[in-house]
Amino acid sequence: MRFFARVCSIILLMQHFSSAASAAVSNPSISQAPNTTPLLLVILLAIVILIGAVIYYQRNQKMTLMDALLSQSKDGIWVTDEQFRIIEINNAFSEISGYKKADVLGKKFKALTQAGRDTQLEEIIQQELRNDGYWSGEIWNLRKDGQPYAIDLCITKVTTPRFAKSSVRYVGMFSDVTARKNNERTMLKLTTKDSVTGLSNRAIYIESLEKAINACNDTYPSLLIIFIDIDNFKKINDSLGHTVGDVLLKEVACRLTDSLNSGFTIARLGADEFAVLVPPYLYSGKTVFFAKKPQTSCFSSLKPHLC
C-alpha cells in the first residue's frame, strides 16, 4: 500500500506541473514565456523514479516468492556456487538431514555412506552437471546423527546473466524416501530369501541354475548340483515341535554357509531339502568336490548326495 501511495503521489505531482506548464504557454496575457527547463527536468526525474520504483517492486515480489518457496517447500533444497559450495539451504533441508545452516554454508555437497565418503559418485554427478546441466537419481546418505537415509535427488544447473559474466548456480532438491526403500528391501527379501534360514529360496535357486547352464562353454563346460536333506526331520518336528525344527534348519543353513565357498548358491528348497549350486567357473575341470572342514562335529552327520 505504501508503494502505491508513493506512485500515486508522483503521478499527481507530474499532472500538476504539466497543467501549470500548459496554462503558462496558452495564456496570451503573459508577454514573456517562462523558462520551462527546470520543469522538464522535474518531470524527467519523476519518470525515472517511477520506472525505478516499478522495477524495485517487481524484483521485491520475485524475492518474496523465492523466499516463500524455500521456507514452505516440504522438499529439501540447497543452492551452491560454481565450485559446488553451499550458499543457501531451506528449513526442510535441516529437518531431513539434521544439518543446520551454519553446519553446511561454504562446504561442498558430500555423498556420505556408512563405508565413508563416496567421492566417485560425487565426481560422476559433477561431471554430468557440467556436461548436461542436470542430474537425478536415488542415493543413500547419512544424517548428522550418523543414521543412513535414502533421498530422491535432482540437481539443476542455473545460469543467470550479469553485466560482463554469467553467474552459475546449482540447485538441488530432494525428498526423503527412506521408508519406501526399506519397504522395497523387505519385499525383495520376502521374494528372494527363505523366511526361516535366510538362504536363497527355490525361485532364486532355479534362476541361478539357468544362468549357470547358460554360462557353460568350452572353457568351463560343467557345473555341480548337490541336494541335501535331513534324515528323520519329520520325527523331530512331531516330537519336539516346529520351533526346535526351525532351530535345526537354521543350524544346517549356518553350517553350509560357513563350510562352502561364497561363490556357491546355497538354497532351501522346502521342508528339510537344501541344494547347492557350484557354477562352471568354480567346478569345471575338478573331479572331486571339496568342502571346508566344519569347526564342529555335528555337521558330519549330514551327508550330501552327489548327482
PDB file of all heavy atoms in Angstrom, residues 98-118:
ATOM      1  N   GLY A  98      19.239 -33.087   9.338  1.00  0.00           N
ATOM      2  CA  GLY A  98      19.738 -32.784  10.675  1.00  0.00           C
ATOM      3  C   GLY A  98      20.799 -31.703  10.703  1.00  0.00           C
ATOM      4  O   GLY A  98      21.178 -31.221  11.781  1.00  0.00           O
ATOM      5  N   TYR A  99      21.288 -31.283   9.541  1.00  0.00           N
ATOM      6  CA  TYR A  99      22.322 -30.251   9.470  1.00  0.00           C
ATOM      7  C   TYR A  99      21.689 -28.866   9.440  1.00  0.00           C
ATOM      8  O   TYR A  99      20.779 -28.608   8.662  1.00  0.00           O
ATOM      9  CB  TYR A  99      23.187 -30.442   8.227  1.00  0.00           C
ATOM     10  CG  TYR A  99      24.102 -31.636   8.287  1.00  0.00           C
ATOM     11  CD1 TYR A  99      23.754 -32.844   7.695  1.00  0.00           C
ATOM     12  CD2 TYR A  99      25.329 -31.558   8.944  1.00  0.00           C
ATOM     13  CE1 TYR A  99      24.597 -33.944   7.746  1.00  0.00           C
ATOM     14  CE2 TYR A  99      26.181 -32.655   9.005  1.00  0.00           C
ATOM     15  CZ  TYR A  99      25.810 -33.838   8.405  1.00  0.00           C
ATOM     16  OH  TYR A  99      26.640 -34.928   8.465  1.00  0.00           O
ATOM     17  N   LYS A 100      22.213 -27.975  10.284  1.00  0.00           N
ATOM     18  CA  LYS A 100      21.750 -26.603  10.294  1.00  0.00           C
ATOM     19  C   LYS A 100      22.514 -25.792   9.247  1.00  0.00           C
ATOM     20  O   LYS A 100      23.495 -26.252   8.669  1.00  0.00           O
ATOM     21  CB  LYS A 100      21.937 -25.985  11.687  1.00  0.00           C
ATOM     22  CG  LYS A 100      21.220 -26.739  12.795  1.00  0.00           C
ATOM     23  CD  LYS A 100      19.708 -26.783  12.562  1.00  0.00           C
ATOM     24  CE  LYS A 100      19.001 -27.513  13.702  1.00  0.00           C
ATOM     25  NZ  LYS A 100      17.546 -27.614  13.474  1.00  0.00           N
ATOM     26  N   LYS A 101      22.047 -24.565   9.056  1.00  0.00           N
ATOM     27  CA  LYS A 101      22.657 -23.705   8.040  1.00  0.00           C
ATOM     28  C   LYS A 101      24.136 -23.463   8.332  1.00  0.00           C
ATOM     29  O   LYS A 101      24.974 -23.510   7.424  1.00  0.00           O
ATOM     30  CB  LYS A 101      21.899 -22.370   7.977  1.00  0.00           C
ATOM     31  CG  LYS A 101      22.161 -21.568   6.717  1.00  0.00           C
ATOM     32  CD  LYS A 101      21.190 -20.400   6.639  1.00  0.00           C
ATOM     33  CE  LYS A 101      21.355 -19.650   5.318  1.00  0.00           C
ATOM     34  NZ  LYS A 101      20.384 -18.543   5.197  1.00  0.00           N
ATOM     35  N   ALA A 102      24.459 -23.232   9.591  1.00  0.00           N
ATOM     36  CA  ALA A 102      25.857 -22.961   9.952  1.00  0.00           C
ATOM     37  C   ALA A 102      26.756 -24.170   9.733  1.00  0.00           C
ATOM     38  O   ALA A 102      27.975 -24.015   9.580  1.00  0.00           O
ATOM     39  CB  ALA A 102      25.926 -22.512  11.413  1.00  0.00           C
ATOM     40  N   ASP A 103      26.177 -25.366   9.706  1.00  0.00           N
ATOM     41  CA  ASP A 103      26.976 -26.587   9.524  1.00  0.00           C
ATOM     42  C   ASP A 103      27.453 -26.774   8.092  1.00  0.00           C
ATOM     43  O   ASP A 103      28.466 -27.448   7.858  1.00  0.00           O
ATOM     44  CB  ASP A 103      26.168 -27.828   9.945  1.00  0.00           C
ATOM     45  CG  ASP A 103      25.771 -27.798  11.403  1.00  0.00           C
ATOM     46  OD1 ASP A 103      26.537 -27.244  12.206  1.00  0.00           O
ATOM     47  OD2 ASP A 103      24.695 -28.321  11.738  1.00  0.00           O
ATOM     48  N   VAL A 104      26.709 -26.228   7.120  1.00  0.00           N
ATOM     49  CA  VAL A 104      26.988 -26.567   5.718  1.00  0.00           C
ATOM     50  C   VAL A 104      27.390 -25.381   4.852  1.00  0.00           C
ATOM     51  O   VAL A 104      27.913 -25.591   3.758  1.00  0.00           O
ATOM     52  CB  VAL A 104      25.765 -27.256   5.082  1.00  0.00           C
ATOM     53  CG1 VAL A 104      25.462 -28.572   5.791  1.00  0.00           C
ATOM     54  CG2 VAL A 104      24.534 -26.349   5.118  1.00  0.00           C
ATOM     55  N   LEU A 105      27.146 -24.148   5.292  1.00  0.00           N
ATOM     56  CA  LEU A 105      27.474 -22.994   4.458  1.00  0.00           C
ATOM     57  C   LEU A 105      28.965 -22.972   4.131  1.00  0.00           C
ATOM     58  O   LEU A 105      29.812 -23.120   5.011  1.00  0.00           O
ATOM     59  CB  LEU A 105      27.073 -21.701   5.157  1.00  0.00           C
ATOM     60  CG  LEU A 105      25.580 -21.350   5.171  1.00  0.00           C
ATOM     61  CD1 LEU A 105      25.362 -19.974   5.763  1.00  0.00           C
ATOM     62  CD2 LEU A 105      24.980 -21.416   3.769  1.00  0.00           C
ATOM     63  N   GLY A 106      29.268 -22.791   2.859  1.00  0.00           N
ATOM     64  CA  GLY A 106      30.649 -22.740   2.411  1.00  0.00           C
ATOM     65  C   GLY A 106      31.282 -24.087   2.184  1.00  0.00           C
ATOM     66  O   GLY A 106      32.431 -24.167   1.738  1.00  0.00           O
ATOM     67  N   LYS A 107      30.542 -25.169   2.479  1.00  0.00           N
ATOM     68  CA  LYS A 107      31.081 -26.516   2.304  1.00  0.00           C
ATOM     69  C   LYS A 107      30.467 -27.170   1.078  1.00  0.00           C
ATOM     70  O   LYS A 107      29.352 -26.856   0.681  1.00  0.00           O
ATOM     71  CB  LYS A 107      30.811 -27.370   3.540  1.00  0.00           C
ATOM     72  CG  LYS A 107      31.460 -26.812   4.805  1.00  0.00           C
ATOM     73  CD  LYS A 107      31.144 -27.671   6.011  1.00  0.00           C
ATOM     74  CE  LYS A 107      31.781 -27.111   7.278  1.00  0.00           C
ATOM     75  NZ  LYS A 107      31.455 -27.907   8.481  1.00  0.00           N
ATOM     76  N   LYS A 108      31.187 -28.112   0.492  1.00  0.00           N
ATOM     77  CA  LYS A 108      30.711 -28.789  -0.705  1.00  0.00           C
ATOM     78  C   LYS A 108      29.706 -29.878  -0.344  1.00  0.00           C
ATOM     79  O   LYS A 108      29.780 -30.468   0.742  1.00  0.00           O
ATOM     80  CB  LYS A 108      31.882 -29.400  -1.479  1.00  0.00           C
ATOM     81  CG  LYS A 108      32.781 -28.368  -2.139  1.00  0.00           C
ATOM     82  CD  LYS A 108      33.785 -29.031  -3.058  1.00  0.00           C
ATOM     83  CE  LYS A 108      34.605 -27.997  -3.814  1.00  0.00           C
ATOM     84  NZ  LYS A 108      35.547 -28.621  -4.763  1.00  0.00           N
ATOM     85  N   PHE A 109      28.795 -30.131  -1.268  1.00  0.00           N
ATOM     86  CA  PHE A 109      27.848 -31.234  -1.098  1.00  0.00           C
ATOM     87  C   PHE A 109      28.619 -32.548  -1.085  1.00  0.00           C
ATOM     88  O   PHE A 109      29.476 -32.792  -1.932  1.00  0.00           O
ATOM     89  CB  PHE A 109      26.833 -31.227  -2.240  1.00  0.00           C
ATOM     90  CG  PHE A 109      26.018 -32.490  -2.324  1.00  0.00           C
ATOM     91  CD1 PHE A 109      24.982 -32.711  -1.443  1.00  0.00           C
ATOM     92  CD2 PHE A 109      26.313 -33.456  -3.271  1.00  0.00           C
ATOM     93  CE1 PHE A 109      24.230 -33.873  -1.511  1.00  0.00           C
ATOM     94  CE2 PHE A 109      25.576 -34.616  -3.354  1.00  0.00           C
ATOM     95  CZ  PHE A 109      24.531 -34.828  -2.464  1.00  0.00           C
ATOM     96  N   LYS A 110      28.302 -33.421  -0.121  1.00  0.00           N
ATOM     97  CA  LYS A 110      29.010 -34.689   0.022  1.00  0.00           C
ATOM     98  C   LYS A 110      28.031 -35.856  -0.019  1.00  0.00           C
ATOM     99  O   LYS A 110      26.944 -35.788   0.548  1.00  0.00           O
ATOM    100  CB  LYS A 110      29.785 -34.720   1.344  1.00  0.00           C
ATOM    101  CG  LYS A 110      30.868 -33.661   1.458  1.00  0.00           C
ATOM    102  CD  LYS A 110      31.543 -33.716   2.811  1.00  0.00           C
ATOM    103  CE  LYS A 110      32.601 -32.630   2.942  1.00  0.00           C
ATOM    104  NZ  LYS A 110      33.241 -32.645   4.280  1.00  0.00           N
ATOM    105  N   ALA A 111      28.446 -36.912  -0.702  1.00  0.00           N
ATOM    106  CA  ALA A 111      27.691 -38.165  -0.711  1.00  0.00           C
ATOM    107  C   ALA A 111      28.319 -39.073   0.339  1.00  0.00           C
ATOM    108  O   ALA A 111      29.397 -39.629   0.125  1.00  0.00           O
ATOM    109  CB  ALA A 111      27.728 -38.810  -2.090  1.00  0.00           C
ATOM    110  N   LEU A 112      27.661 -39.199   1.479  1.00  0.00           N
ATOM    111  CA  LEU A 112      28.206 -39.954   2.599  1.00  0.00           C
ATOM    112  C   LEU A 112      27.513 -41.302   2.723  1.00  0.00           C
ATOM    113  O   LEU A 112      26.304 -41.405   2.555  1.00  0.00           O
ATOM    114  CB  LEU A 112      28.050 -39.172   3.902  1.00  0.00           C
ATOM    115  CG  LEU A 112      28.696 -37.784   3.953  1.00  0.00           C
ATOM    116  CD1 LEU A 112      28.347 -37.082   5.259  1.00  0.00           C
ATOM    117  CD2 LEU A 112      30.212 -37.897   3.807  1.00  0.00           C
ATOM    118  N   THR A 113      28.287 -42.336   3.008  1.00  0.00           N
ATOM    119  CA  THR A 113      27.743 -43.661   3.270  1.00  0.00           C
ATOM    120  C   THR A 113      28.355 -44.175   4.563  1.00  0.00           C
ATOM    121  O   THR A 113      29.280 -43.577   5.117  1.00  0.00           O
ATOM    122  CB  THR A 113      28.069 -44.637   2.124  1.00  0.00           C
ATOM    123  OG1 THR A 113      29.490 -44.856   2.079  1.00  0.00           O
ATOM    124  CG2 THR A 113      27.615 -44.074   0.786  1.00  0.00           C
ATOM    125  N   GLN A 114      27.843 -45.305   5.044  1.00  0.00           N
ATOM    126  CA  GLN A 114      28.389 -45.887   6.256  1.00  0.00           C
ATOM    127  C   GLN A 114      29.825 -46.361   6.055  1.00  0.00           C
ATOM    128  O   GLN A 114      30.575 -46.517   7.009  1.00  0.00           O
ATOM    129  CB  GLN A 114      27.501 -47.046   6.721  1.00  0.00           C
ATOM    130  CG  GLN A 114      26.146 -46.571   7.248  1.00  0.00           C
ATOM    131  CD  GLN A 114      25.270 -47.721   7.708  1.00  0.00           C
ATOM    132  OE1 GLN A 114      25.111 -48.704   7.003  1.00  0.00           O
ATOM    133  NE2 GLN A 114      24.694 -47.588   8.894  1.00  0.00           N
ATOM    134  N   ALA A 115      30.191 -46.600   4.778  1.00  0.00           N
ATOM    135  CA  ALA A 115      31.560 -47.012   4.473  1.00  0.00           C
ATOM    136  C   ALA A 115      32.480 -45.820   4.269  1.00  0.00           C
ATOM    137  O   ALA A 115      33.686 -45.992   4.066  1.00  0.00           O
ATOM    138  CB  ALA A 115      31.572 -47.893   3.226  1.00  0.00           C
ATOM    139  N   GLY A 116      31.934 -44.606   4.309  1.00  0.00           N
ATOM    140  CA  GLY A 116      32.740 -43.414   4.113  1.00  0.00           C
ATOM    141  C   GLY A 116      32.198 -42.553   2.994  1.00  0.00           C
ATOM    142  O   GLY A 116      31.113 -42.792   2.452  1.00  0.00           O
ATOM    143  N   ARG A 117      32.957 -41.548   2.619  1.00  0.00           N
ATOM    144  CA  ARG A 117      32.540 -40.608   1.579  1.00  0.00           C
ATOM    145  C   ARG A 117      32.698 -41.243   0.205  1.00  0.00           C
ATOM    146  O   ARG A 117      33.752 -41.804  -0.117  1.00  0.00           O
ATOM    147  CB  ARG A 117      33.381 -39.336   1.669  1.00  0.00           C
ATOM    148  CG  ARG A 117      32.983 -38.247   0.687  1.00  0.00           C
ATOM    149  CD  ARG A 117      33.826 -37.011   0.908  1.00  0.00           C
ATOM    150  NE  ARG A 117      33.537 -35.979  -0.088  1.00  0.00           N
ATOM    151  CZ  ARG A 117      34.180 -34.812  -0.159  1.00  0.00           C
ATOM    152  NH1 ARG A 117      35.150 -34.549   0.722  1.00  0.00           N
ATOM    153  NH2 ARG A 117      33.879 -33.938  -1.087  1.00  0.00           N
ATOM    154  N   ASP A 118      31.646 -41.134  -0.621  1.00  0.00           N
ATOM    155  CA  ASP A 118      31.663 -41.710  -1.965  1.00  0.00           C
ATOM    156  C   ASP A 118      32.102 -40.619  -2.948  1.00  0.00           C
ATOM    157  O   ASP A 118      31.284 -39.970  -3.604  1.00  0.00           O
ATOM    158  CB  ASP A 118      30.279 -42.244  -2.324  1.00  0.00           C
ATOM    159  CG  ASP A 118      30.283 -43.107  -3.571  1.00  0.00           C
ATOM    160  OD1 ASP A 118      31.275 -43.048  -4.314  1.00  0.00           O
ATOM    161  OD2 ASP A 118      29.307 -43.844  -3.789  1.00  0.00           O
TER     162      ASP A 118
END
